[in-house]
Amino acid sequence: MNAGPAAKVDGESTANAASSVGVGDVDVESQEAVLQRLAENPQIEGVFPVYGAVKAGKSTFLSCLLRQEILPAQALPMTSIPIKVSHVPGAALKLEFPQLERWTACLADFASKLKTGTLRDEVQNKRGDEALHAAQEEIRANRFTFRASVTGRAAVAKQLTDFSHFIRLLWRNNIDYERDHGVSMRLDLLPVVQMDMPTFRAAPVQRFSFLDTPGINEQRAEDALRKVGAQVMGESTGCIFCVAWDQVQATQMWPLYKMINDFMKGKKVVAVVTHMDGFLGGDSERQGVIDSVKQNLNPDILDNFTLHFTSGAMLKAMFDLNELLQQYGHHPAEFQQHVLTDNSGRLFKLLVDLCNFGMLMSGKSSAELVATCRDLVTSNLAKLGWEDLLHDIMSCLLYTSDAADE
């Protein structure tokens, strides 16, 4: 991947003018020089938080960047406290879980209250609470544990999901893990995933982290985020904030706009307008979304601001389809079978919902299907502005270097 900045004309990237809007150009030579300094100074680490409201697609979008499904992302709100994901070239996937003793003590205290019937709000197995109820009953049966270090995709994903469920059980029962058990919300004591991110292997800077954050419109999640907000934003290289196209003016977004205005002056801000697979408007409606976002940001934020339209669901489907093409593209019949059956047919259903895949398949031989799918991946990634978005994310690293030099 070319990690340099995309060429821009009148604030729009020529790589994908239809999918991104840039305001306030960054000098290319200066950026390349700073990126080089970052590459030569392994002590500098860029931290790049990903913010948004509940179900704005934060974790799904971040999973697309990571090319790994490890972060909590379900139909219900999932991310409960910030989770750091660090790029470590050549590293095997691993989750480090600081403060294990304190979290274990907190878990034991919750289990004791659960078994003695003294919880404020024991979760019942009703619609919408199935996952929390299942986690609660695992705790009751002494089958719920945290480990200091976890390796492998399935184990990492499970511990992060279990942890998120546990935090939400604490919230429901008004249990304060900081006050009662001394758990710290310091950035360096949060759970951290270390992994080699394939998307960024060719980048000139190889020391940086993303930070998956709770949805800003959940009060307890917002409280957790505010505890680290000033520290994270103050030390960050820039930020991504995800907002669904139909929520840009929603009241739930106001606290996020305020945090960005308060802490991100002079840093790169990348807005990702999500759920575009459900957007039916034209150019004027898109411009209305752009204007609405910009109206909520201060002029000094807009100096280093870019906006992209995309769909996390579509990106994920294209990456999953491309992975099948890489594995089975030279064996068309086998490829066709995997498209239909992979993940119990979920990919096929998603493709049908997003891009009328059933009609695309109709009447095609397996070899023709492979060619059609290759074109589908290429055209949709271009339409979603994927490469241009990566360029903007990489450019955020220069602000950390500038701060370090000062």
Side-chain angles (χ1 to χ4, degrees):
M1 182 198 76
N2 176 9
K8 294 189 176 181
V9 178
D10 294 331
E12 288 200 44
S13 165
T14 58
N16 199 322
S19 294
S20 67
V21 176
V23 181
D25 215 355
V26 177
D27 181 76
V28 173
E29 291 185 359
S30 172
Q31 176 169 313
E32 290 178 347
V34 175
L35 288 174
Q36 183 61 37
R37 289 201 301 276
L38 271 172
E40 294 171 353
N41 190 344
Q43 280 69 49
I44 300 172
E45 179 185 16
V47 179
F48 197 16
V50 183
Y51 298 110
V54 166
K55 308 322 297 173
K58 302 179 308 298
S59 297
T60 299
F61 175 73
L62 188 48
S63 292
C64 290
L65 287 176
L66 305 180
R67 299 293 185 88
Q68 287 266 21
E69 287 188 76
I70 55 172
L71 298 170
Q74 294 181 2
L76 299 174
M78 284 298 295
T79 306
S80 52
I81 69 170
I83 298 168
K84 187 177 178 182
V85 186
S86 298
H87 176 49
V88 181
L93 180 64
K94 178 171 68 172
L95 168 65
E96 295 288 346
F97 201 72
Q99 307 183 88
L100 178 64
E101 290 184 5
R102 293 178 181 181
W103 282 117
T104 299
C106 185
L107 176 60
D109 180 55
F110 180 88
S112 176
K113 288 182 170 66
L114 174 63
K115 294 173 184 178
T116 57
T118 56
L119 283 178
R120 173 186 174 184
D121 185 13
E122 187 170 325
V123 179
Q124 304 303 311
N125 189 17
K126 59 184 181 181
R127 184 178 178 84
D129 280 341
E130 295 91 345
L132 283 183
H133 179 264
Q136 174 186 272
E137 296 312 300
E138 288 290 295
I139 294 171
R140 191 194 303 272
N142 298 320
R143 294 194 297 264
F144 197 100
T145 60
F146 297 130
R147 294 164 55 193
S149 181
V150 179
T151 59
R153 192 202 66 80
V156 169
K158 183 179 187 309
Q159 176 137 322
L160 287 175
T161 299
D162 286 350
F163 183 56
S164 184
H165 288 323
F166 178 60
I167 294 295
R168 291 177 185 280
L169 288 170
L170 296 178
W171 289 351
R172 286 185 62 147
N173 289 279
N174 201 29
I175 296 173
D176 191 324
Y177 48 81
E178 293 178 271
R179 181 195 63 212
D180 297 342
H181 297 282
V183 173
S184 173
M185 290 295 289
R186 267 178 31 201
L187 180 59
D188 60 325
L189 292 176
L190 296 174
V192 56
V193 176
Q194 297 178 358
M195 63 180 297
D196 184 348
M197 303 180 194
T199 305
F200 298 96
R201 284 174 184 161
V205 177
Q206 290 291 294
R207 182 173 170 79
F208 61 90
S209 299
F210 293 109
L211 196 74
D212 188 25
T213 65
I216 195 71
N217 54 318
E218 282 192 288
Q219 186 57 55
R220 296 299 292 268
E222 183 179 340
D223 292 343
L225 180 56
R226 287 192 179 279
K227 293 179 188 298
V228 297
Q231 177 191 5
V232 171
M233 284 187 160
E235 298 177 1
S236 69
T237 61
C239 75
I240 298 172
F241 75 92
C242 295
V243 53
W245 64 268
D246 57 348
Q247 295 180 1
V248 293
Q249 288 284 32
T251 303
Q252 65 190 30
M253 289 299 298
W254 293 353
L256 179 55
Y257 289 131
K258 186 179 188 306
M259 288 182 68
I260 291 172
N261 285 327
D262 287 346
F263 296 112
M264 297 307 295
K265 179 180 178 181
K267 299 184 179 184
K268 186 77 171 180
V269 175
V270 180
V272 180
V273 179
T274 58
H275 298 177
M276 290 302 290
D277 50 286
F279 182 78
L280 301 178
D283 291 344
S284 61
E285 288 79 12
R286 278 194 177 217
Q287 187 60 50
V289 172
I290 295 166
D291 293 341
S292 294
V293 173
K294 290 167 63 176
Q295 286 169 7
N296 287 285
L297 298 174
N298 294 340
D300 53 11
I301 299 296
L302 295 177
D303 287 342
N304 294 308
F305 169 81
T306 54
L307 183 146
H308 298 259
F309 292 98
T310 195
S311 161
M314 179 69 85
L315 282 173
K316 182 182 180 305
M318 292 303 104
F319 289 136
D320 288 349
L321 183 59
N322 192 54
E323 185 175 343
L324 290 181
L325 283 167
Q326 292 175 350
Q327 292 179 347
Y328 307 109
H330 296 297
H331 305 282
E334 194 171 357
F335 170 77
Q336 184 173 19
Q337 183 64 26
H338 277 277
V339 168
L340 294 172
T341 62
D342 242 39
N343 293 316
S344 301
R346 285 197 294 265
L347 175 59
F348 176 71
K349 184 179 184 304
L350 186 60
L351 290 170
V352 169
D353 291 342
L354 293 174
C355 49
N356 203 11
F357 194 66
M359 183 172 292
L360 290 176
M361 286 185 63
S362 179
K364 288 184 171 62
S365 67
S366 55
E368 290 171 331
L369 178 62
V370 168
T372 297
C373 287
R374 292 192 195 280
D375 290 342
L376 188 67
V377 169
T378 300
S379 63
N380 275 294
L381 290 182
K383 180 180 177 182
L384 294 167
W386 177 243
E387 285 297 324
D388 195 42
L389 182 50
L390 289 182
H391 292 323
D392 271 345
I393 291 171
M394 288 304 302
S395 73
C396 291
L397 296 172
L398 79 110
Y399 296 101
T400 288
S401 183
D402 284 343
D405 288 344
E406 293 173 2

